[in-house]
Amino acid sequence: MIANYGYKDGSGEYYISIDTDKCIDCAAERACLKACPQQMFEIITDDYDDEVAWVKKEKTRALAYDCAACKPAGGYTSLPCTTACTPGAIKHSW
Amino acid sequence: MNAEVAAATAAPEKKEFWRWQENTWYDESKNWKDAKIITCGIDVGSVSSQAVLVCDGELYGYNSMRTGNNSPDSAKNALQGIMDKIGMKLEDINYVVGTGYGRVNVPFAHKAITEIACHARGANYMGGNKVRTILDMGGQDCKAIHCDDKGKVTNFLMNDKCAAGTGRGMEVISDLMQIPIAELGPRSFDVETEPEAVSSICVVFAKSEALGLLKAGYTKNMVIAAYCQAMAERVVSLLERIGVEEGFFITGGIAKNPGVVKRIERLLGIKQIDTKIDSQIAGALGAALFGYTLMQKQAAK
C-alpha cells in the first residue's frame, strides 16, 4: 500500500509517501524512527495486521513546517528519513 | 407585557439551514433474530456519526446522526437509534468495530480500524468489486483511495489541512445563503451560465468571496454553483495526484450533493458507480464488514 500523508494548498504540495509493502520487510531496522529530527514516524500495526511505519496523527497537519527544517540543509535528495530508509520506501513530493 | 407584544419583540427563531436530515433505516423483509452473526460498525466522524448493523455479512440497518461534542455519547446514541427501532440490545451484537475521527472513543468497540480501510471495504460492498478509486468526502477532510477487487487499500492520499472542499465548507455556504443544505445541489444547476469557480482555497476566504459575489449582483444560485465548482476542482486535483481508475465511487456526505458530484464527473470525464445505499454510511458499513470477517476467522480457528 502507498500511504500519502500531507496536503495541497496555495503554497504548494506537501506529501510524504510511504510504501508500506516495503516497510514490512524493512532492511534498515526501522532507522526512519531515529533519523527524523522531528520524530514524525512511528511503527503501527495497520488495518491488515502488518507492522508498518506511518506519520504520527498529530504530525500530519504540520508536515510543511516540520519537514521544512531538513530541506535547506539536506536539499531534495538527501533528507535524513529517505537516506536512513534503505529500501527507498519513503518519498517526498517537494 | 401582553402575549402579542411579547411574541412580536421576541427574537426570531434561528433556522439552521446547514442541518441535514438524520435518518434511520432497516431491512423490514428480514429478521435480525434469524442471523447467526451480527456485527456493528460505528463511524464517529467530525460532523456526523453512523451506526450500521450487518447480519451474516449483509447490510441490515443503520442510523445516521449529527456528532455531538462527546464522541462516546455520539457513538452510543447512533447505535441506540437503530437498536430502539428493531428491539435489539447491545448484548445481541457479536462484534463492534469503531472507525472514523473518534474511533478510539467508542467505549463498547472490540477493535478500531481506520476510516480509510473501512471506506474502501464499504465502497466495495456498495459499488461491487469493480470499484477501484474512491473519493471519501467527509465533514472535515477528503481522502482519495485506491483499492483492489476485494476492497483492500492499495494507495491512499489524505488531505486534512483545510475545510474548503469538505462537508463543513458546504454547511458554511448553506448558512450564508439561508438555503437548506439538501437544496444546494439542485439549485446550483438553476443558472443560465456556469459562473467561474470561487477562487479562494480557504473556506473562511471563500465565505467572504461568496458575500462579495452577492454584492456584485450574482444570484444565490450562481454563488452556489461557483462554490460547488470550486469544491469539485479542489477534490479533482487531490484525485489526480494518485490517479483515477475506472470504477470510480464517491462516499461520505457530499456524495449526496449532485451539484458537486456531477461537476466532479464532468471534470474527470467519467461517471461514478451508482448505488441505492446511502453513501454516507460507507465507513460504518465497512467497519461492520471487517467485524464480520474477524468473527468468521475466529470461528474457523
Side-chain angles (χ1 to χ4, degrees):
Chain A
M1 176 168 67
I2 311 292
N4 297 276
Y5 301 94
Y7 67 96
K8 179 180 181 178
D9 69 8
S11 64
E13 285 193 17
Y14 304 95
Y15 289 105
I16 290 181
S17 301
I18 301 176
D19 186 335
T20 59
D21 292 340
K22 289 182 177 170
C23 268
I24 294 164
D25 304 315
C26 181
E29 295 177 347
R30 317 294 193 199
C32 60
L33 299 185
K34 286 182 186 165
C36 175
Q38 302 291 331
Q39 307 291 305
M40 295 205 327
F41 302 104
E42 65 182 342
I43 302 296
I44 57 141
T45 304
D46 74 2
D47 299 318
Y48 307 104
D49 292 333
D50 293 319
E51 277 201 346
V52 299
W54 82 335
V55 177
K56 290 176 187 169
K57 186 72 184 165
E58 68 270 20
K59 295 282 188 183
T60 56
R61 287 173 183 263
L63 289 179
Y65 314 108
D66 287 344
C67 287
C70 291
K71 299 288 180 184
Y76 288 83
T77 54
S78 59
L79 297 169
C81 57
T82 53
T83 307
C85 174
T86 48
I90 299 175
K91 288 179 185 164
H92 288 248
S93 72
W94 75 102
Chain B
M1 195 187 302
N2 66 31
E4 278 183 12
V5 174
T9 55
E13 189 188 346
K14 191 177 184 308
K15 273 192 175 180
E16 291 179 319
F17 292 96
W18 53 264
R19 195 172 276 280
W20 38 262
Q21 198 176 3
E22 300 183 344
N23 60 342
T24 308
W25 172 90
Y26 69 96
D27 188 345
E28 292 179 38
S29 67
K30 293 177 187 165
N31 187 345
W32 62 266
K33 288 176 183 166
D34 298 333
K36 290 191 182 80
I37 299 174
I38 300 172
T39 56
C40 174
I42 310 256
D43 182 356
V44 183
S46 55
V47 168
S48 69
S49 295
Q50 289 82 32
V52 169
L53 292 171
V54 161
C55 292
D56 293 334
E58 296 291 326
L59 173 63
Y60 177 71
Y62 63 81
N63 181 37
S64 175
M65 54 176 289
R66 187 96 188 160
T67 298
N69 55 9
N70 179 310
S71 293
D73 283 351
S74 299
K76 278 181 207 164
N77 294 338
L79 180 55
Q80 202 63 51
I82 178 66
M83 288 199 305
D84 287 348
K85 281 253 177 184
I86 59 175
M88 184 186 275
K89 290 179 182 158
L90 188 58
E91 304 87 82
D92 298 318
I93 301 171
N94 300 102
Y95 204 90
V96 181
V97 174
T99 188
Y101 163 85
R103 64 182 173 276
V104 292
N105 287 320
V106 179
F108 41 89
H110 297 90
K111 188 178 173 75
I113 296 179
T114 65
E115 61 270 33
I116 296 158
C118 290
H119 273 270
R121 188 73 186 270
N124 176 268
Y125 181 95
M126 292 162 77
N129 60 9
K130 300 182 296 297
V131 172
R132 288 292 176 280
T133 304
I134 300 143
L135 175 65
D136 167 26
M137 300 181 74
Q140 284 185 9
D141 66 12
C142 276
K143 296 176 193 78
I145 304 164
H146 275 184
C147 69
D148 63 15
D149 61 344
K150 292 187 173 62
K152 185 178 178 184
V153 178
T154 53
N155 191 345
F156 76 86
L157 189 149
M158 59 194 295
N159 183 337
D160 58 359
K161 186 70 183 171
C162 182
T166 68
R168 182 64 199 136
M170 196 52 93
E171 288 180 354
V172 167
I173 293 299
S174 169
D175 228 25
L176 181 72
M177 296 293 133
Q178 304 261 291
I179 291 171
I181 195 152
E183 291 177 23
L184 291 185
R187 285 187 65 156
S188 75
F189 296 114
D190 197 6
V191 290
E192 283 183 12
T193 52
E194 190 76 13
E196 285 274 310
V198 170
S199 61
S200 297
I201 54 156
C202 167
V203 74
V204 178
F205 296 138
K207 187 179 173 185
S208 304
E209 193 175 338
L211 266 174
L213 290 174
L214 284 176
K215 284 180 185 162
Y218 270 50
T219 63
K220 282 186 177 182
N221 290 354
M222 285 175 77
V223 175
I224 295 165
Y227 193 79
C228 286
Q229 180 66 21
M231 188 176 267
E233 286 177 10
R234 189 170 173 82
V235 296
V236 164
S237 81
L238 188 77
L239 277 167
E240 281 171 347
R241 177 154 182 85
I242 65 165
V244 181
E245 295 176 19
E246 278 293 329
F248 176 56
F249 196 80
I250 306 178
T251 63
I254 299 285
K256 292 193 278 193
N257 182 328
V260 178
V261 171
K262 287 193 190 310
R263 285 177 173 87
I264 292 172
E265 289 177 337
R266 199 185 297 158
L267 287 166
L268 291 175
I270 58 171
K271 287 190 83 65
Q272 73 151 337
I273 295 172
D274 283 329
T275 180
K276 287 182 177 147
I277 305 169
D278 185 343
S279 52
Q280 204 167 7
I281 67 157
L285 173 59
L289 292 168
F290 264 113
Y292 178 66
T293 306
L294 287 166
M295 287 296 295
Q296 279 184 312
K297 276 185 188 170
Q298 280 179 15
K301 278 181 186 171

